[in-house]
Amino acid sequence: MPSRSETSVSKPDGCILTADWYIYDVLLDAGEWVFATRASAERFLQAGGGIVYLTQRGGAFSGLAAEVQAVGNVIEHKVRASYYLLYPFAVKISILHRPQHPIPIKPLLPRLSFVPAGSAWGLAFKGDGCRKIPSPDLAVLRKAIVTAESASRG
């Protein structure tokens, strides 16, 4: 396995981590991000981290919530309770940037190459695990999060 510095230098892309609003704080409090498959957890670890995109049931809200860094290796939870039943794999995380309030995604959509044009834009953010995105798109999302975090500090 490459060292953290080798991983950071060689990664060409980033990833999007999607979570329902109700589980987001649970994951951050636990200090880990959970995955349904080992492959998803390994993609996240290889990327070195990702951008957290929140959804709410029924699509009432969606937005960027944080940038997190992967710390450590893939963990397999043997206890199949709570959300570990569906998401038995995890990677420890540290929070790099977290604005006070999630950032609406719609104003950023025209600048993101991985998002299809039209009404089906939300499909680009759906699914389990670490959805890879191109580096220029990662930079757009990261800048939005860092700017919002700085503004919330005053």
Side-chain angles (χ1 to χ4, degrees):
M1 165 161 260
S3 70
R4 173 65 57 209
S5 62
E6 290 170 330
T7 302
S8 297
V9 169
S10 64
K11 65 178 180 172
D13 300 316
C15 68
I16 291 286
L17 303 167
T18 302
D20 284 334
W21 185 270
Y22 69 92
I23 199 168
Y24 171 66
D25 286 328
V26 172
L27 295 173
L28 292 186
D29 289 346
E32 61 184 33
W33 201 266
V34 293
F35 300 90
T37 65
R38 178 176 290 280
S40 291
E42 288 173 352
R43 275 195 309 275
F44 173 66
L45 191 61
Q46 182 181 29
I51 302 293
V52 176
Y53 174 78
L54 291 182
T55 64
Q56 189 174 41
R57 289 189 180 173
F61 174 83
S62 60
L64 302 174
E67 180 182 13
V68 297
Q69 179 179 19
V71 180
N73 296 312
V74 175
I75 302 163
E76 182 173 359
H77 290 286
K78 302 297 182 186
V79 177
R80 302 286 193 229
S82 183
Y83 56 85
Y84 293 130
L85 181 63
L86 297 174
Y87 304 101
F89 301 97
V91 175
K92 293 284 185 193
I93 59 170
S94 64
I95 301 167
L96 297 177
H97 303 285
R98 184 181 185 192
Q100 188 173 4
H101 302 288
I103 304 159
I105 191 69
K106 284 189 177 182
L108 300 173
L109 294 178
R111 297 170 47 201
L112 301 174
S113 67
F114 76 98
V115 178
S119 61
W121 63 266
L123 294 176
F125 297 92
K126 300 271 188 220
D128 166 57
C130 175
R131 301 212 52 196
K132 288 198 171 197
I133 61 171
S135 293
D137 291 344
L138 181 66
V140 167
L141 300 176
R142 180 179 287 133
K143 181 177 179 184
I145 289 172
V146 170
T147 300
E149 181 184 46
S150 296
S152 66
R153 288 185 191 160

